[in-house]
Each structure stands twice: as structure tokens, then as C-alpha cells.
Amino acid sequence: MIAQPNASHFVNGAYVEDTAGAAFEVIYPGTGAVIAVLHEATEAVIEAALAGAAQAQRDWAARRPVERGRILARAAAIIRDRGEELARLETRDTGKPLQETRVADWPSGADALEYFAGLAPTVTGETVPLGRDFIYTIREPLGVCLGIGAWNYPSQIACWKAAPALALGNAMVFKPSELTPLGALKLAEILAEAGLPAGLFNVVQGRGAVGARLVSDARVAKVSLTGSVETGARVYAAAAAGMRHVTMELGGKSPLIVFDDASLEDAVGAAMLGNFYSSGQVCSNGTRVFVQAGIKPRFLDLLAERTAAIRAGDPLDPATQFGPLVSAAQRDKVLRYIDGAQAEGARLICGGGIGNAGGFFVEPTVFAEVTDTMTLARQEVFGPVMAVLEFDTEDEVVARANATQYGLAAGVFTADLARAHRVIAQLQAGTCWINAYNLTPVEAPFGGVKASGLGRENSRAAVEHYTQVKSVYVGLGPVEAPY
Ligand code: NDP
């Protein structure tokens, strides 16, 4: 039996329900069954969350960093102890196969809690000698941070935002996507069990309007959003009106470049991981697979063979490798992109339909003969649809890879490491891989350039985005006033 959250919100250390908020259903994408009915946050719930966070943050910031870290490390240990239960809940919330949720979602969240637990006590200011006088700096928390999550990695996103925020002395109010509201509630419950004082991590449910209400509240010092470019632009503008800090983790149309000296097996495997994992609902996916002309026929043959062997089915069956999309609406959107690609003249290599697994499935789909101007090469699909494009020269592929508004990620496969570094240096992307794809360990900064966002999550880089610097000039001599 899965211990599902028993109310819609988690505020001031406890589950809270307010049935005055509009009801919405949580649907298991594997079958379409309703697994919970929650309510959107009312003004009373939002007010309690913000007031509680502002109140709790002051005491929390005064604690020693090592104490804050100890609580986060305890939460990570609880997550690892309950790994199987949490993986099952994540699968029911998202439809992603158990094979993935056991190793990727909550485990990555636990990594973030452990990493920032350890990092917090090492965050110090600096001393700047000025001869007689000196300056010292203090890295202070920002205050109340707002986290807004997308539906593809709900628990990981909640952990990636909560871990640095809390470790560095902030409080957080988190609004999950209303499609996947359960994991963040579990995180709140686990943090409370680990000893996090009430009010420091609150979860409020709702659609975009609840997010918009939170973004413009005077008590919010920072907004960290994971979502689409369109939503990012709206949230960034609303945050700017109040001069709030932002981290924006947005969408992409990332290039994965395969030179003809690459290991074919590895390049095909990476292209599949970078398009079919989580049924393609990964922001950093390498959805424009540029393959050098000489290797392309063999690449497509092996790709088609391995894609045909992917095992789609019940996400809760441990043997299943490929699950449904998060919702019927997302499935229909992906199917429209598939129809459009065929209409624009791309060649369907495999997939293209819904298969016969039930739920909101779209088959793993590959198109070849995709050109740069086709919709499939320009817009983010957020589904299991790979576009294979052909190229001849290094200069050509760099120019084509960069010809997009996005800049989240990029990958290069080649045996020539000098070429790999040369190409990576020219690619406009925040997160890159050489002979690997979509690995995002907490030790690495993660984020995009251009329309794909700003700020970085994970790694030491996140410290800058959850703290601000106070500079203190210390005068040790007489004040020399000219009057
Ligand atoms: P959306 O941009 O639609 O929504 C993201 C979140 O913002 C949701 O919680 C949404 O609420 C909320 N929201 C919507 N409008 C507003 C508003 N005006 N003010 C405040 N909050 C608002 O993204 P999806 O959930 O559809 O996720 C898919 C997208 O996210 C893809 O485009 C993908 O590329 C991107 N993404 C980026 C990642 C990255 O790290 N770069 C990682 C994962 C996804 P609700 O959904 O309840 O309406």
C-alpha cells in the first residue's frame, strides 16, 4: 500500500485541507484512473504559507549551517530508506516506469539534500585588506524563496530547489504542477520528520494563477521556476516588477552531434536515452540529432533495431522500460507534432502511433530527413520524438546547432577529443556532454543560456542564487573629513 499524502497542502509543519479551493483530479497516466482529488490553494492557505515561511526563516537563518545541514542529511537518509515506496508514488503521479523512478527521481533529490547539507558549512565570506582598514563580506540568505515546478520530475525538482534554499538559511514555498502534486507533499512530510522546523518548507497546490499570486507577493525574495519558456517569460517579468531574484530552468531543443568516428553503439544509446527516457519529457533532451553523412545509414539501422525492442507497458511492472506521457493533453499535443512532421516531409523511421499499452502512450518515434526549417527541428515537443538531421562538416553543424532561440544543453560524440572540446567551446548551451548525454549529477552546474533560462541549479554555483553578499567596511582609524 502506498502512503499517499492525505491532504492538498503542507503548511507550517502539517497537512492542511481547504475544500473551498477548486477541486482537481490527480490521474495515473498508466491507465487514466483518478488516484486523488485535491483542492487549489485558497487565499487563506497562501497567506498562512507565506506568513509562516517569513516567520520561520528568521530563526532558521540564525542557526549554525552544520545544524541545518544535519536535518537535510537526515531527510536524505529517510528518502533512501523509503526508496521503493517513494518510487511507486512517483510512478503513479507521473506515469514514468518504476525502472526510472527507482534510480533517477528521488535518488537524485536525496543527492541534492546530501550535497547541500555538506556544502552549507563551507560557505563563507571573504576578508579584503585595505592597509589599515579592511572589508569583510557575509553571504546572507535571501529570505522566502518561491519554487514552481514542472510535471516531468516533480520530486527531483522540489528537492533541487529546497536543498540549496534551506541549507543556506532560506524558507521555501513550493507550488508543484497541478498534474503531479504528490511528490512535493511527501518531501514536506519527510523534511518535517527529519526535524525541519515548521514553516520552512510549505507546499501549496494550484494552477498557474496560484503561482502568479505567489510570484508578486512582497514577502517573496526569489523565484525559481522550472517550466516552459513562455511561462518563464511571464514569471520573470512579474518577478522583475518586485526586483526579485530569479532562477529560470526552461525548455530546449538541444543538439546532439554525432561525428562519423564516434562509437556507433554509444551514440545510438545516448540518442535513445536523450529522446525516450521519461517518454521524452526531459528539458535537456537532445532532440535534434545531427548525424554526419558517412555514418548515418548505419546509425539509422541500429537505432530502428534498438527502438523496436523497447518494452512499453504498465509503468508499475519492473520490466517496463517505457511509459506513457503525463496527460491525455500532452499525448494529443505530441501526436499533432508527429502528424505535422509527416506533412512537412520528414521520413518516419519507426513509431508514430499510440501502440496498444493503454494509458496516455505515444510510441518511441524516429524521423529522418528532418531539415532545420521543419517545425519538428524548431519547437520543443516534450515527447518521445527524435529528429535525425544530416550534416557534412564541423563548421556547418556548429552553425546549425546554434541557430535556435534555445540554449539549454548540447552533446558531442566523437573519438577525436580535440574536436570534441573545439566544438563544445563554440556551442551556445549551458550544460554540455562529450561522449555522454543527459547525466546531471548534483556536482555539476545545471541550467541554460539564451531563452532556456538563467541561473544555475546544483553544484557550488547554486550558492550564488540562494544568497546575497553583504559588504562591511571596517574603519580602524580616524575619519578624515575635509570640513
Ligand atoms: P509550464 O511552463 O506550463 O508550467 C510550469 C509551472 O509554472 C507549473 O507549475 C505551472 O502551473 C506554473 N505556472 C504557469 N503559469 C504561471 C504563471 N503565470 N505564474 C506562475 N506560475 C505559473 O510547464 P510544464 O509544467 O508544462 O512543463 C513542461 C515544460 O517545462 C517544458 O517546456 C520543459 O521544457 C520545461 N522544463 C524545463 C526544465 C529545465 O530544467 N530547464 C525541466 C523540466 C521541464 P500549472 O502547471 O499548475 O498550470
Side-chain angles (χ1 to χ4, degrees):
M1 183 62 201
I2 298 155
Q4 206 163 282
N6 60 24
S8 298
H9 321 287
F10 196 98
V11 175
N12 285 324
Y15 277 110
V16 172
E17 191 56 277
D18 184 350
T19 52
F24 62 94
E25 293 176 337
V26 184
I27 292 170
Y28 173 47
T31 60
V34 176
I35 57 167
V37 178
L38 302 187
H39 295 269
E40 291 202 63
T42 56
E43 185 56 29
V45 169
I46 292 171
E47 181 53 36
L50 288 168
Q55 167 79 31
Q57 192 266 331
R58 284 188 282 276
D59 290 343
W60 183 240
R63 295 241 199 147
R64 284 177 61 206
V66 76
E67 278 182 59
R68 298 198 296 256
R70 196 178 302 135
I71 292 170
L72 300 190
R74 215 177 283 140
I78 295 172
I79 290 171
R80 296 207 192 281
D81 281 353
R82 302 198 191 135
E84 181 63 16
E85 174 197 336
L86 292 169
R88 287 182 171 272
L89 184 68
E90 190 79 350
T91 287
R92 283 160 60 85
D93 211 7
T94 62
K96 295 196 288 181
L98 213 46
Q99 271 197 13
E100 293 188 15
T101 54
R102 279 177 174 166
V103 299
D105 298 78
W106 280 102
S108 158
D111 282 357
L113 290 161
E114 282 163 350
Y115 182 88
F116 288 103
L119 187 67
T122 74
V123 175
T124 57
E126 52 180 0
T127 309
V128 185
L130 295 170
R132 183 192 62 193
D133 297 347
F134 69 98
I135 293 167
Y136 67 92
T137 64
I138 309 172
R139 279 231 161 248
E140 295 182 333
L142 301 173
V144 177
C145 300
L146 171 63
I148 304 179
W151 37 256
N152 58 342
Y153 279 83
S155 301
Q156 183 198 69
I157 290 170
C159 290
W160 280 19
K161 296 187 191 310
L166 296 173
L168 296 165
N170 303 282
M172 176 160 273
V173 175
F174 189 85
K175 190 206 83 68
S177 163
E178 96 279 358
L179 292 174
T180 53
L182 303 179
L185 289 170
K186 268 305 201 201
L187 176 62
E189 192 186 314
I190 289 166
L191 284 166
E193 189 180 334
L196 188 74
L200 289 170
F201 185 72
N202 305 281
V203 178
V204 300
Q205 307 291 350
R207 298 188 172 82
V210 170
R213 156 71 182 87
L214 289 162
V215 172
S216 51
D217 192 279
R219 286 161 291 194
V220 170
K222 187 229 162 76
V223 183
S224 177
L225 170 84
T226 298
S228 60
V229 170
E230 295 69 29
T231 301
R234 273 201 300 278
V235 170
Y236 192 8
M243 213 56 84
R244 296 184 179 89
H245 299 256
V246 294
T247 298
M248 294 282 150
E249 297 292 356
L250 309 176
K253 192 76 205 176
S254 300
L256 197 175
I257 301 170
V258 182
F259 286 97
D260 56 16
D261 62 348
S263 153
L264 188 63
E265 284 285 341
D266 289 343
V268 167
M272 292 173 72
L273 278 171
N275 281 273
F276 303 146
Y277 206 72
S278 295
S279 295
Q281 302 164 111
V282 182
C283 51
S284 51
N285 268 355
T287 48
R288 289 183 296 149
V289 181
F290 289 97
V291 182
Q292 205 161 19
I295 202 178
K296 199 182 92 175
R298 286 191 296 132
F299 184 92
L300 287 176
D301 285 349
L302 186 59
L303 178 61
E305 183 191 321
R306 286 177 61 176
T307 301
I310 290 176
R311 189 161 167 179
D314 174 6
L316 287 163
D317 176 349
T320 293
Q321 298 172 318
F322 183 86
L325 292 158
V326 75
S327 66
Q330 187 64 15
R331 175 198 57 199
D332 295 346
K333 180 177 155 194
V334 172
L335 290 173
R336 281 197 296 278
Y337 274 110
I338 290 172
D339 287 347
Q342 285 180 291
E344 287 185 44
R347 180 161 67 92
L348 184 67
I349 301 290
C350 55
I354 59 172
N356 49 17
F360 307 137
F361 279 83
V362 173
E363 293 171 319
T365 299
V366 177
F367 280 102
E369 268 71 85
V370 177
T371 63
D372 297 353
T373 54
M374 288 182 186
T375 309
L376 189 60
R378 288 186 294 107
Q379 294 184 9
E380 185 177 46
V381 176
F382 230 54
V385 186
M386 187 193 307
V388 177
L389 302 91
E390 183 180 314
F391 74 96
D392 291 308
T393 70
E394 185 178 313
D395 287 347
E396 171 208 338
V397 78
V398 167
R400 290 171 61 195
N402 286 337
T404 168
Q405 63 158 332
Y406 297 112
L408 184 55
V412 175
F413 272 79
T414 175
D416 177 349
L417 283 183
R419 173 161 66 186
H421 294 297
R422 193 166 62 229
V423 169
I424 288 288
Q426 298 173 78
L427 290 176
Q428 297 163 350
T431 308
C432 298
W433 295 275
I434 294 173
N435 294 332
Y437 204 82
N438 257 0
L439 302 175
T440 55
V442 67
E443 294 89 342
F446 181 78
V449 300
K450 295 162 70 179
S452 292
L454 37 99
R456 292 292 178 269
E457 299 202 289
N458 292 339
S459 79
R460 284 192 171 274
V463 172
E464 272 179 43
H465 302 291
Y466 283 98
T467 57
Q468 57 197 346
V469 178
K470 177 177 278 174
S471 164
V472 185
Y473 187 107
V474 182
L476 294 179
V479 174
E480 288 169 18
Y483 33 74

